Amino acid sequence: MVEVQTSSSPAPSDVAHVSILGATGSVGVNTLDVIERHEAKFSVTALTANNNIDLLFDQCLKFHPEVAVVANEDLVDQFSAKFNGSSYKPDIHSGNQGLELAASLSEVDFVMAAIVGAAGLPATLAAARAGKRTLLANKEALVMSGSLLINAARSHAAELLPIDSEHNAVFQCLSGSNECDVERIILTASGGPFLKLPLDEFAAVTPEQAVAHPNWEMGKKISVDSATMMNKGLEIIEACMLFEKNADEIEVVIHPQSIIHSLVAYVDGSLIAHLAYPDMRVPIAHALAWPQRIQSGIGTIDLAKLGPLEFHAPDRNRFPCLQLAYQALEAGGSAAIILNAANEVAVASFLHSEIRFTEIPQVIDQALQHIAHENVLELETILAKDQETRTYTRAYIEQSVRPS
Ligand code: NDP
């Protein structure tokens, strides 16, 4: 497992200064909810948004960060004007530079990396390079950058703590164990909204149906990823990197109730599981307080009232994106970057009703087959491969998939 360093944490009695990248998203809002419950322990130093400047403004008035960043440069003047006549105004920044600044401010202790997609990579990397405790929700950043982000965290003594509920669960199940005693990691998956949908109805799935996850309230992109199970595919790659495992040491089990968030199997036959109601405030509170515990706002499960828990193997025919993620892992090199970028473009096209749900894996497969998988290890070359894939994928959708 990636060694977790402790030098970036403030002493338990100190107030931890937090920067939230993607404050206006689902994870960002849940993070502020937890922080609000513990005003004596956490102070909000920086908040960032992309387009939702109304919510960012409300968050600023409530939490008074020193710095606010609007990534979308076209909206920064409009955002700034909202503070006219107010006695409080944060330092306002924009663009990627602003995001990286929010991630690396000297007074910040913890950075919540909760921007969605590849857009979050430079700022997440900046947080690790600045030695911050980096709370990693932005799985795409890790999937595309691989060892670059892990090594940056290591060499700058930054704690990299997983926020994804599955990886946070694994992190907790591994606590206190010897690495050599771990047999395998078992990631649970709800199976999303289409677990039982007849296969011949998949092509007619609408964006509204795909974002309606049965158990979790999440942003649109990750909700579609859950429906295709690409989310689990990205999580397999994430788990391999975070816990230094091979693909064959990571098992996926469908568990529709989303009560067990993941498990670790040990050589002596023990399975250690993490159980909680499906609410992101649980892993967020864990990572904010680690190695201590704080209240998240969610009670523990009432076992006597819990119905049956089911488990079964995933059907890779039903969910071809899962298979594509395994293929990308096996191919190595930049295949994970291509997988991620093609998926982001395909999901955005699906959400705009430009392609069908069933065309998402076809588009990703096309990109994986036609774009060269060379080894890319630097941020610039990773971003260039990401751009190359986006350009290719958009052109492919325009020419070959999009209905005329
Ligand atoms: P949302 O879509 O709800 O929020 C995304 C956030 O990123 C928003 O603050 C958005 O700003 C910002 N953002 C979007 N594009 C850009 C950009 N180009 N530059 C800067 N900021 C941008 O996503 P989620 O909160 O659901 O997910 C965030 C991350 O966490 C994802 O990587 C996801 O996979 C991961 N995750 C999410 C979980 C969940 O329960 N939601 C669970 C586990 C992991 P704005 O809204 O202002 O436009």
Side-chain angles (χ1 to χ4, degrees), residues 21-30 48-53 55-56 70-72 95-96 99 113-120 136-141 163-166 216-223 225 231 234-235 238 279-280:
L21 311 176
T24 46
S26 163
V27 172
V29 167
N30 276 312
T48 86
N50 191 34
N51 292 323
N52 196 345
I53 55 172
L55 179 55
L56 182 64
V70 179
N72 182 344
N96 260 333
L99 295 174
I115 292 174
V116 62
L136 186 71
N138 182 202
K139 68 192 86 182
E140 298 91 343
I163 291 297
D164 234 332
S165 58
E166 295 79 357
W216 295 93
E217 293 272 340
M218 306 183 288
K220 284 185 179 174
K221 191 262 178 183
I222 185 176
S223 297
D225 284 351
N231 184 46
L234 297 176
E235 287 179 8
E238 183 185 8
D279 191 303
M280 285 307 291

Side-chain angles (χ1 to χ4, degrees), residues 174 177-185 245 249 264-272:
L174 286 170
S177 67
N178 285 326
E179 201 174 315
C180 59
D181 296 335
V182 174
E183 188 192 82
R184 68 191 194 287
I185 285 172
K245 296 283 170 211
E249 295 170 298
V264 174
Y266 287 93
V267 290
D268 61 1
S270 302
L271 273 181
I272 307 289

Side-chain angles (χ1 to χ4, degrees), residues 11-90:
S13 54
D14 291 348
V15 173
H17 294 86
V18 185
S19 175
I20 305 177
L21 311 176
T24 46
S26 163
V27 172
V29 167
N30 276 312
T31 305
L32 286 170
D33 183 286
V34 175
I35 285 177
E36 200 181 350
R37 293 165 195 274
H38 302 281
E39 282 175 347
K41 287 184 185 297
F42 304 105
S43 147
V44 176
T45 303
L47 294 174
T48 86
N50 191 34
N51 292 323
N52 196 345
I53 55 172
D54 292 341
L55 179 55
L56 182 64
F57 178 66
D58 292 345
Q59 292 175 337
C60 285
L61 292 188
K62 192 164 183 182
F63 293 95
H64 281 219
E66 290 162 30
V67 171
V69 179
V70 179
N72 182 344
E73 296 180 347
D74 295 339
L75 295 175
V76 73
D77 291 342
Q78 212 179 315
F79 177 69
S80 187
K82 285 176 177 284
F83 293 91
N84 289 349
S86 165
S87 58
Y88 155 78
K89 185 172 186 178

Side-chain angles (χ1 to χ4, degrees), residues 177-309:
S177 67
N178 285 326
E179 201 174 315
C180 59
D181 296 335
V182 174
E183 188 192 82
R184 68 191 194 287
I185 285 172
I186 304 168
L187 299 179
T188 53
S190 69
F194 308 133
L195 189 57
K196 294 186 175 154
L197 188 74
L199 280 179
D200 60 2
E201 292 180 25
F202 268 64
V205 159
T206 64
E208 292 70 29
Q209 291 170 315
V211 298
H213 196 281
N215 305 337
W216 295 93
E217 293 272 340
M218 306 183 288
K220 284 185 179 174
K221 191 262 178 183
I222 185 176
S223 297
V224 175
D225 284 351
S226 297
T228 62
M229 281 197 78
M230 178 56 89
N231 184 46
K232 208 52 52 182
L234 297 176
E235 287 179 8
I236 294 165
I237 301 173
E238 183 185 8
C240 287
M241 291 171 175
L242 279 176
F243 305 115
E244 297 181 312
K245 296 283 170 211
N246 298 319
D248 61 3
E249 295 170 298
I250 313 280
E251 183 184 338
V252 173
V253 174
I254 301 281
H255 166 46
Q257 293 77 21
S258 297
I259 289 293
I260 295 186
H261 295 293
S262 278
L263 310 91
V264 174
Y266 287 93
V267 290
D268 61 1
S270 302
L271 273 181
I272 307 289
H274 173 269
L275 284 76
Y277 287 121
D279 191 303
M280 285 307 291
R281 286 174 291 177
V282 176
I284 289 168
H286 172 262
L288 280 170
W290 185 84
Q292 302 183 339
R293 299 265 179 182
I294 53 172
Q295 288 188 352
S296 64
I298 306 300
T300 50
I301 291 170
D302 185 341
L303 291 170
K305 288 192 179 148
L306 204 61
L309 301 182

